[in-house]
Amino acid sequence: MPIPSNKHSRVMTRILNCKWELAAPVFGILLTMAFAPYDYAYAAIGALVFIYWVWQRQMPKRAALSGYLFGLGLFGSGIWWTYISIHDFGGGDPYSSIALTALLVAVWALFPALTGWFIAKTSVWSGAWLRIIAAAIAWVAVEYFRGYWLLNGFPWLQIAYSQLSTPLAGYAPLTGVYGVGFLLAVSAFSLVEILRGKLRALPGLLVLGLIWAGGGYLQTVSWTQAAGAPIKVTLVQGNIGQDQKWQKNQKLNTLRLYQELTEQHWDSDVIIWPETSIPAFLSQVKEFYIDPLQTAAQAHGVDLVVGLPSSGQGKEYYNSVMTLGENQALYHKNHLLPFGEYLPLQPLSGWVLDKLQIPLGDFAAGGDRQTLLTAGGHAFVTTICYEDAFGELVARQIADAGYIVNMTNDAWFGNSSQPHQHMQMAQMRALETGRYLARATNTGVTGFVGPDGALRKQAPLFTTTTLTDYIVPMRGLTPYVILGDKGFFGVLAVLLLVTYVWHRKFGAGISKQGVEAV
């Protein structure tokens, strides 16, 4: 058998030294499998166990590289559908669309890299619980920065959304999405410390058992109460192709379709249409379409909730929701989608998109002080499109609302994983606030969600149909609604401080030893 040359040996050594980096994208893909539509919820634990194990064995710079490659696997497999919106419906050529999709994946992958760098920095701390708490806080803090602050927020693939079917979901009404994510990270990181022999197995497993058993118990607790009799709600799913939606020769057909589907359900209390279901500005359709709908709704004692664009002062225009029937009022979308509804980083972003010849909208935000809309005799929180991805946005309005309405158009992303991921996020909002949620979409996923976060009814995707169910208006506030995301992070800061002080007093302090280099 020939003896390998020194050159080949050096190559093999380099490959073996990179074994963790080579595996990182695979485990990033594994984390994607925890989310809808795959729903292997416990795969999230396996992915987190792997990446935390790696970070504990690496210096910060190398941990950042491992985190970046992990992020490429996660976002590459998790948000690939942005290509569909850019190419199929945004007008981009294949090369530009691939480039922009790859750029988005590359940018969002920076956040697991940042998490890895932070966690590797704390790996020299003695005291397993101190490391675990600090690392779990680092994970959800970076998620919060990505999901709420940067470029108006992109909260997709936050680990908590994968846990709607596990006992950890019981903590959502107490802590919100970041609390669920924190406890998931604590669970995975604790297993690693036990396997490394840094945390005694019995107390470690006892704490994990208490966390998961506590979540199971909390799922039996009702935090809110009925505020009135059930109301009959019908959701209309028009299934208008995105490539047809704004065609002038299709406008009247679309308006006629929604009117006909609505007229079949005048026995409902509330009828809800999807986002921009009316493909024309309010001023263009008010006299010949909106006013007759208003008259018909009043005559049948029904409240209609429709979506359409509307104009403001000057050149401002809004993505809006309008109620017709007993109360006629408007809500303008407030939390806008970056690069889809407004262009951040101007003038650079506008220049780049112009060069690539990709047309995107530039809407105005409606503002934080809008009055709640009312339908079926109860006020409701309105979320348009991905506004339902922000827990605090819903929580700060829910006190006076009996239920939640989400109106969206996920036709932009075709038959991909995106509509299913989006529904998971909507389900979390219902669970956090203890409210029913009625979700009307253009092509799916249209459905009703209970206060427990469970999907009660769902319409088939890519089908012109309606879906009817009874929902109960609710009252009362969950602990999360009172606390909010910022309040929860304050609790985490206190927990970290207490853990640190306890360890300094009873533990060994901060070790001055380095980490094992891979």
Side-chain angles (χ1 to χ4, degrees):
M1 184 173 181
I3 300 173
S5 67
N6 289 337
K7 180 180 179 181
H8 290 162
S9 296
R10 288 195 298 270
V11 171
M12 288 301 298
T13 299
R14 289 175 182 174
I15 292 174
L16 290 173
N17 284 342
C18 293
K19 58 184 179 295
W20 301 122
E21 285 86 346
L22 293 172
V26 176
F27 281 87
I29 295 171
L30 179 65
L31 182 53
T32 297
M33 295 298 104
F35 297 91
Y38 317 105
D39 292 318
Y40 297 109
Y42 293 100
I45 295 179
L48 293 176
V49 163
F50 165 81
I51 198 63
Y52 181 77
W53 180 285
V54 171
W55 286 339
Q56 290 299 302
R57 297 168 59 87
Q58 292 184 329
M59 300 295 287
K61 288 184 179 179
R62 193 158 179 185
L65 174 60
S66 297
Y68 188 72
L69 294 172
F70 180 86
L72 289 179
L74 171 64
F75 290 104
S77 61
I79 64 167
W80 63 271
W81 34 258
T82 54
Y83 173 85
I84 298 174
S85 63
I86 296 170
H87 174 261
D88 294 9
F89 304 119
D93 65 81
Y95 298 108
S96 299
S97 302
I98 291 173
L100 276 179
T101 302
L103 177 61
L104 286 172
V105 170
V107 168
W108 299 124
L110 290 170
F111 292 91
L114 181 62
T115 305
W117 186 88
F118 274 122
I119 291 178
K121 278 285 189 181
T122 65
S123 65
V124 297
W125 293 5
S126 63
W129 284 118
L130 184 59
R131 286 195 302 273
I132 291 166
I133 297 298
I137 291 175
W139 187 288
V140 294
V142 172
E143 280 194 337
Y144 181 58
F145 177 68
R146 168 173 71 87
Y148 192 83
W149 294 104
L150 186 68
L151 299 178
N152 223 25
F154 184 72
W156 238 262
L157 300 180
Q158 292 179 336
I159 56 174
Y161 291 112
S162 69
Q163 299 302 298
L164 279 170
S165 61
T166 76
L168 292 183
Y171 291 98
L174 273 77
T175 64
V177 68
Y178 296 105
V180 175
F182 171 77
L183 292 172
L184 176 61
V186 166
S187 300
F189 300 166
S190 298
L191 290 175
V192 174
E193 295 292 355
I194 290 172
L195 292 172
R196 295 176 69 223
K198 304 296 184 180
L199 180 64
R200 286 185 294 173
L202 184 58
L205 293 175
L206 178 61
V207 170
L208 288 183
L210 289 173
I211 289 174
W212 285 75
Y217 168 75
L218 288 170
Q219 287 181 307
T220 67
V221 177
S222 297
W223 299 97
T224 54
Q225 307 81 40
I231 57 177
K232 188 177 183 180
V233 179
T234 294
L235 309 176
V236 181
Q237 182 173 288
N239 192 38
I240 307 298
Q242 195 58 38
D243 55 345
Q244 299 294 314
K245 186 177 178 69
W246 298 101
Q247 297 293 327
K248 291 182 179 179
N249 60 351
Q250 292 296 320
K251 183 185 299 184
L252 290 178
N253 291 335
T254 299
L255 296 177
R256 189 179 300 114
L257 172 66
Y258 277 101
Q259 182 173 343
E260 290 173 354
L261 291 172
T262 296
E263 289 172 348
Q264 299 171 17
H265 294 279
W266 286 131
D267 60 334
S268 294
D269 298 307
V270 179
I271 301 174
I272 304 173
W273 297 5
E275 174 190 15
T276 57
S277 44
I278 298 175
F281 280 90
L282 173 60
S283 58
Q284 297 173 319
V285 294
K286 187 177 186 307
E287 290 186 5
F288 82 91
Y289 192 71
I290 294 295
D291 288 346
L293 270 180
Q294 165 72 10
T295 301
Q298 285 182 325
H300 289 90
V302 179
D303 289 319
L304 287 181
V305 185
V306 303
L308 77 173
S310 64
S311 302
Q313 296 180 349
K315 296 183 179 181
E316 288 184 343
Y317 58 100
Y318 302 99
N319 187 351
S320 304
V321 168
M322 188 174 194
T323 54
L324 303 173
E326 183 179 351
N327 299 287
Q328 188 174 120
L330 277 169
Y331 166 82
H332 303 309
K333 185 176 181 183
N334 188 36
H335 202 118
L336 302 177
L337 177 67
F339 301 107
E341 292 174 316
Y342 86 104
L343 300 179
L345 306 178
Q346 288 278 42
L348 176 61
S349 61
W351 179 83
V352 170
L353 293 172
D354 286 343
K355 288 294 182 182
L356 296 176
Q357 297 184 337
I358 297 177
L360 293 174
D362 195 10
F363 284 85
D368 292 330
R369 297 187 176 183
Q370 301 184 70
T371 303
L372 293 179
L373 299 179
T374 300
H378 295 269
F380 61 89
V381 171
T382 309
T383 58
I384 302 177
C385 190
Y386 96 136
E387 283 187 314
D388 62 351
F390 301 93
E392 276 197 330
L393 184 150
V394 176
R396 67 171 178 253
Q397 304 177 74
I398 204 68
D400 298 319
Y403 58 102
I404 305 168
V405 170
N406 177 245
M407 302 161 66
T408 194
N409 178 25
D410 286 333
W412 284 99
F413 306 101
N415 188 16
S416 69
S417 56
Q418 190 275 348
H420 305 278
Q421 294 169 353
H422 196 178
M423 174 55 94
Q424 272 189 326
M425 302 170 91
Q427 289 175 255
M428 185 65 77
R429 302 291 84 82
L431 180 57
E432 287 172 337
T433 59
R435 296 296 196 277
Y436 284 82
L437 180 143
R439 187 168 191 264
T441 73
N442 178 18
T443 56
V445 179
T446 294
F448 291 95
V449 181
D452 58 354
L455 187 56
R456 293 159 51 95
K457 269 191 177 183
Q458 176 184 330
L461 274 71
F462 302 104
T463 303
T464 301
T465 187
T466 60
L467 188 69
T468 300
D469 198 7
Y470 285 89
I471 67 171
V472 180
M474 307 296 284
R475 59 180 174 83
L477 303 179
T478 63
Y480 166 71
V481 169
I482 298 170
L483 189 66
D485 291 332
K486 296 180 182 65
F488 175 70
F489 276 101
V491 172
L492 288 185
V494 172
L495 175 62
L496 182 61
L497 178 62
V498 169
T499 306
Y500 176 80
V501 171
W502 180 88
H503 182 68
R504 290 288 293 180
K505 187 171 183 179
F506 300 105
I510 303 297
S511 170
K512 295 182 180 180
Q513 297 178 355
V515 295
E516 176 185 356
V518 178

